[in-house]
Amino acid sequence: MAESERPLALINARVVDPSRNLDEAGSVFVAEGRILASGPETISQTPPDGAEIVDVQGAVVSPGLVDMCVGVGEPGAEHRETLASASEAAAAGGVTTIVTLPETNPVIDDPALVDFLLRRARDTALVNVRPMAALTKGLQGEEMSEIGLLGEAGAVAFTNGHRSIASSRTMRRLLTYARDFGALVIHHTEDPDLAANGVMNEGLNASWKGLSGSPREAEFIMLERDLRLVALTRGRYHAQMISCGESADAIRRAKRSGLDITAAVSINHLTLNENDIGPYRTFFKMAPPLREEDDRQEMIAGLADGTIDIVVSNHDPQDVETKRHPFAEAEDGAIGLETLLAAGLRLVHNDDVPLMKLLAAMTCNPAKRLGIDAGTLKPGTPADIAVFDPDRPWILDKAKIHSKSKNTPFEDARFSGRVLRTIVAGRTVYNYA
Amino acid sequence: MNAHDEPKTGGSHPAFPRRHLLGIEGLQPQEILGLLDRAEEAIEVSRQVEKKKAVLRGRTQINLFFEASTRTQSSFEIAGKRLGADVMNMSVSSSSVKKGETLIDTAATLNAMHPDILVVRHHAAGAVELLANKIDCSVINAGDGPHEHPTQALLDALTMRRHKGRIARLVVAICGDILHSRVARSNIILLNALGARVKVIAPSTLLPTGIEKMGVEVHSSMKEGLKDVDIVMMLRLQRERMAGSFVPSVREYFRYWGLDREKLSYARPDALVMHPGPMNRGVEIDPEIADGPQSLIREQVEMGVAVRMAVLEALSEHLPNK
């Protein structure tokens, strides 16, 4: 960590810090791994003694991204992704904190496994790793996991991964029990019974393709159930990923009634729709499935009006063994850490969502929801920083993907907006050459 | 609380004008205290060489247990015998219920045998009252589902009063599986009737809906809940509830709700520990505490016999042919 010893000054920057609603020209000074000063207060200050001066030439300097839904293969599927390779992908995408899903082998449902992940991350990862633990033992949806002990071990939230909890009674007890610990319950809502064997969004498109569909109702019926249970239990709840307009409406209504709820959407559901599946391209097979264009527009509207708080990559590395199959037989999932910000900037360039709003959903909002010290440039906080040029064009070259798995839905995509440098605790972990 | 709160022995007891003891609910504070005073005398009887009284001589007491019990059943049996009754134990779970006989059939059958006192435990709330309505003799509820267990609350009160001198203004914490506990319900009613301050401490999954309106302070943290507490009453957690349905595991339950030395230190320094038994050492209570100097758990068993003698005696005053 020798580099973190040397102070750093990022000058000639456009400092965008959504945690303070700040968007001004200025600098960011870093010393001893923490933000010393950022934005307007740097105008009257000189960089710290001995600082490395980096002229970012007008690029945006923002808090590093906090990605609240990241699948890694470690432990159990290290050939698809390790904490190290995921962290390299994250760094290349301006993501400084990855919040990991417990869907590993073994499932992260034991305090010793949380401890293992944190130690592995400390020893091998370039970025911060904050594990989520399983909501139920083995993700089976039946017995609640040790929410107290897992939280003490360092789990920042509890999720059942991409598997929904069918039993309303179990969900009720989980929300009730988690409340005693102030723990956040995160749920992927897709009624497994109603979704049946659906492999893409149910509708005309699926029908013509001859693929079985998963109806949008599978998502929002279960979401509405959950919201009723949150009202009953007064639990803390986060909808892991919503994908259709009715879900956004349900969240909007429930927020008005004062429930402690938040919702996220994946970058895929903000930038892609079911038409992108085209000729049965399995890299576009994901959970929840890509929906119709109207739903994508609803997701954008929900993000713009604050109904949707958080944008995630839903990074899910899969290899040829799991993806090179007929569409219906391929695994769900797409990688997304490296393209999260660049794809998100498409919304900014289209004037769908202001930059501040987009960045808030990728930085301070998830950090605040998880109660972690990240997602801000406030002086005194860890110096986790992304430097990016929001207009620089680039093309995603599969050969240059840092993830061990290459299942990106953005292969050869053209982006405007390039991460130039990523800094974690004052140390540069990625530099775009 | 204007009723006398301190123990009073000797002399006559206030009348207990009831045929049955089905619950603590509905009892007047004076009636509760009267039973406790009677029990004080029964303790003396039990500690003598000659333990036999003739109050129930010639009377027939049937202990009808639809649910297995060791300590309550033997406690009622000894209490009845010390008062001179002929006591018969019936464990129904193993006989007629399996043959399809209904509760009412059983009641009618027993009624024909002319018992004087029926002590009943049943797994269903309200079953004892139903039986009492169909039978001519006195009925004592020895536990009906998660509803009431009046003699347990009385023996707990007696134990507390003997150590703290009073019930009024004591701060009592009932900890653990409140949801399924008849002991908790009877104690909440009794302690409130006698002017104690009652707290319940449990994971929220083990609290009944509306608990905050039952006259108790509700806590999910032992540290917060045990502050200022004089009496820590631990409840048993059934094994089948520890494996993920109500709480995730034994080790997590013990870590956050099991009474160990650290958690007991949050209560008053002179706090005393109670448990209705049977205990799960290492689940809801650390063996060090269960068998330690602050524990009243053994004594509760002795008080159980005394309280049951008192109840039998009080009810016997209204038996027919008296």
Side-chain angles (χ1 to χ4, degrees):
Chain A
M1 298 293 276
E3 282 172 77
S4 72
E5 305 298 319
R6 190 174 173 199
L8 178 70
L10 303 167
I11 62 167
N12 291 326
R14 174 185 170 194
V15 180
V16 182
D17 181 4
S19 74
R20 292 180 291 172
N21 203 29
L22 179 81
D23 185 351
E24 287 182 32
S27 307
V28 175
F29 300 156
V30 171
E32 290 171 357
R34 293 190 172 261
I35 305 282
L36 207 57
S38 64
E41 70 253 24
T42 58
I43 291 166
S44 56
Q45 294 184 23
T46 51
D49 287 343
E52 178 194 358
I53 310 286
V54 177
D55 183 345
V56 302
Q57 300 176 321
V60 171
V61 173
S62 81
L65 274 52
V66 177
D67 189 343
M68 204 167 147
C69 190
V70 177
V72 290
E74 192 168 352
E78 285 85 351
H79 60 290
R80 282 186 217 149
E81 195 85 287
T82 58
L83 286 167
S85 65
S87 77
E88 283 173 34
V95 177
T96 53
T97 298
I98 59 175
V99 182
T100 57
L101 290 162
E103 292 170 302
T104 47
N105 184 13
V107 167
I108 308 302
D109 63 0
D110 188 289
L113 292 168
V114 175
D115 193 57
F116 162 80
L117 271 184
L118 289 171
R119 286 163 188 272
R120 274 302 277 176
R122 180 196 63 195
D123 296 343
T124 66
L126 292 174
V127 303
N128 305 305
V129 175
R130 306 303 292 261
M132 295 189 281
L135 202 43
T136 59
K137 290 173 191 167
L139 300 174
Q140 294 297 308
E142 286 154 15
E143 298 169 3
M144 60 171 99
S145 61
E146 296 172 312
I147 287 172
L149 297 172
L150 288 162
E152 275 192 45
V156 291
F158 298 84
T159 171
N160 221 50
H162 290 82
R163 294 161 75 165
S164 297
I165 294 167
S167 161
S168 306
R169 185 179 52 170
T170 300
M171 194 63 190
R172 176 195 182 170
R173 291 211 183 119
L174 282 165
L175 284 163
T176 302
Y177 188 77
R179 191 193 57 194
D180 289 345
F181 294 93
L184 181 64
V185 172
I186 302 182
H187 197 212
H188 172 88
T189 59
E190 189 172 19
D191 181 338
D193 191 46
L194 189 53
N197 302 312
V199 297
M200 71 172 285
N201 182 47
E202 182 177 295
L204 186 60
N205 211 326
S207 297
W208 275 121
K209 280 185 156 56
L211 293 172
S212 57
S214 171
R216 314 133 57 92
E217 283 75 7
E219 174 176 306
F220 63 76
I221 288 175
M222 183 162 274
L223 178 65
E224 297 213 10
R225 175 203 77 172
D226 283 359
L227 296 173
R228 297 279 175 180
L229 292 175
V230 174
L232 173 67
T233 59
R234 296 279 143 190
R236 298 185 67 218
Y237 180 84
H238 173 69
Q240 186 161 277
M241 270 176 285
I242 62 171
S243 67
C244 44
E246 290 89 340
S247 298
D249 287 341
I251 296 283
R252 204 171 275 127
R253 267 198 314 278
K255 280 191 169 180
R256 274 202 293 269
S257 64
L259 301 182
D260 187 358
I261 55 165
T262 46
V265 62
S266 90
I267 189 65
N268 302 315
H269 293 89
L270 286 168
T271 55
L272 306 169
N273 66 31
E274 61 174 10
N275 296 322
D276 289 302
I277 293 170
Y280 302 92
R281 291 192 292 183
T282 60
F283 288 2
F284 293 82
K285 182 169 190 264
M286 49 191 76
L290 290 172
R291 305 285 185 188
E292 294 170 18
E293 176 60 14
D294 284 352
D295 289 308
R296 188 182 78 89
Q297 292 296 338
E298 290 281 355
M299 292 301 100
I300 292 169
L303 178 62
D305 72 14
T307 301
I308 297 172
D309 309 84
I310 292 162
V311 175
V312 298
S313 72
N314 191 25
H315 184 79
D316 190 353
Q318 299 289 339
D319 57 15
V320 291
E321 287 296 315
T322 53
K323 276 294 190 186
R324 199 172 288 166
H325 289 288
F327 192 87
E329 291 160 27
E331 285 291 324
D332 289 325
I335 57 168
L337 278 166
E338 281 179 76
T339 47
L340 175 63
L341 180 60
L345 287 169
R346 286 182 172 179
L347 305 175
V348 176
H349 295 309
N350 287 343
D351 289 329
D352 288 330
V353 181
L355 180 64
M356 186 72 79
K357 199 104 196 176
L358 178 77
L359 284 176
M362 294 175 168
T363 58
C364 56
N365 290 358
K368 196 171 153 204
R369 191 53 170 157
L370 294 168
I372 60 177
D373 197 8
T376 174
L377 295 177
K378 279 182 201 151
T381 58
D384 299 340
I385 300 168
V387 181
F388 63 93
D389 177 345
D391 299 310
R392 171 129 19 141
W394 63 289
I395 296 171
L396 181 67
D397 178 356
K398 193 171 181 175
K400 290 183 182 165
I401 289 174
H402 291 75
S403 272
K404 276 186 139 183
S405 294
K406 314 297 178 190
N407 55 312
T408 173
F410 294 108
E411 190 176 340
D412 297 328
R414 290 161 191 279
F415 291 113
S416 294
R418 177 68 234 171
V419 174
L420 303 175
R421 182 188 283 256
T422 305
I423 297 162
V424 174
R427 194 166 81 103
T428 297
V429 295
Y430 174 77
N431 212 337
Y432 182 64
Chain B
M1 260 311 301
N2 49 13
H4 67 288
D5 194 28
E6 261 102 69
K8 172 172 133 294
T9 51
S12 64
H13 296 290
F16 189 75
R18 295 172 190 274
R19 190 151 73 97
H20 308 302
L21 178 67
L22 300 178
I24 298 295
E25 195 187 3
L27 295 187
Q28 296 303 310
Q30 290 83 351
E31 292 177 289
I32 296 169
L33 292 165
L35 289 174
L36 299 186
D37 292 344
R38 278 181 198 267
E40 294 280 355
E41 290 174 19
I43 297 169
E44 298 310 312
V45 173
S46 289
R47 287 179 179 177
Q48 291 164 12
V49 176
E50 172 56 58
K51 298 183 174 62
K52 208 104 172 159
K53 288 179 80 179
V55 180
L56 293 183
R57 187 157 62 200
R59 300 290 188 185
T60 302
Q61 172 190 338
I62 299 180
N63 295 336
L64 179 60
F65 277 64
F66 291 87
E67 210 181 60
S69 157
T70 307
R71 72 179 63 203
T72 306
Q73 184 166 330
S74 53
S75 181
F76 269 109
E77 182 177 352
I78 288 172
K81 284 179 171 167
R82 285 189 182 157
L83 294 175
D86 295 315
V87 183
M88 182 214 170
N89 289 316
M90 275 186 75
S91 292
V92 193
S93 53
S94 54
S95 61
S96 42
V97 168
K98 287 203 176 136
K99 294 174 194 156
E101 193 175 75
T102 67
L103 184 61
I104 306 297
D105 291 337
T106 307
T109 306
L110 288 173
N111 206 31
M113 299 179 195
H114 298 289
D116 298 288
I117 295 172
L118 198 58
V119 178
V120 187
R121 168 168 291 185
H122 197 280
H123 52 83
V128 179
E129 188 171 345
L130 176 65
L131 216 137
N133 293 335
K134 303 287 175 192
I135 207 158
D136 298 326
C137 71
S138 283
V139 175
I140 299 173
N141 183 358
D144 64 324
H147 177 224
E148 279 232 45
H149 190 358
T151 56
Q152 179 70 44
L154 288 166
L155 79 87
D156 289 339
L158 180 64
T159 312
M160 283 180 225
R161 193 175 72 165
R162 283 172 65 85
H163 283 269
K164 296 291 185 187
R166 61 186 162 82
I167 302 292
R169 299 178 310 284
L170 281 183
V171 184
V172 182
I174 307 175
C175 312
D177 187 358
I178 312 287
L179 179 63
H180 302 97
S181 175
R182 50 189 168 227
V183 177
R185 281 171 182 72
S186 289
N187 263 302
I188 288 169
I189 300 166
L190 185 148
L191 292 168
N192 274 312
L194 296 189
R197 182 175 150 208
V198 186
K199 303 181 177 199
V200 297
I201 313 172
S204 297
T205 43
L206 293 176
L207 289 170
T209 301
I211 180 74
E212 64 287 347
K213 291 176 185 148
M214 289 183 173
V216 298
E217 288 170 39
V218 184
H219 297 271
S220 58
S221 148
M222 292 284 271
K223 186 169 186 176
E224 288 166 25
L226 287 178
K227 193 169 179 294
D228 302 327
V229 163
D230 297 296
I231 302 283
V232 188
M233 189 183 290
M234 301 307 298
L235 298 174
R236 176 181 171 79
L237 182 65
Q238 302 283 353
R239 290 241 155 235
E240 63 270 21
R241 289 168 189 145
M242 303 170 196
S245 52
F246 292 89
V247 294
S249 64
V250 169
R251 66 179 181 183
E252 175 143 325
Y253 188 77
F254 184 73
R255 167 76 179 74
Y256 297 104
W257 291 281
L259 189 66
D260 55 13
R261 196 198 300 228
E262 187 202 330
K263 295 192 197 82
L264 185 54
S265 74
Y266 303 136
R268 287 174 54 100
D270 60 349
L272 296 170
V273 178
M274 300 173 70
H275 192 300
M279 281 182 282
N280 292 306
R281 288 187 174 83
V283 178
E284 69 262 358
I285 193 162
D286 192 316
E288 178 188 43
I289 301 300
D291 307 318
Q294 286 167 278
S295 170
L296 299 178
I297 297 169
R298 289 282 161 69
E299 193 174 328
Q300 283 174 272
V301 179
E302 183 189 1
M303 295 306 121
V305 175
V307 150
R308 282 155 191 143
M309 287 171 72
V311 170
L312 289 167
E313 190 185 83
L315 291 178
S316 75
E317 287 169 7
H318 306 288
L319 288 176
N321 314 321
K322 177 88 184 178

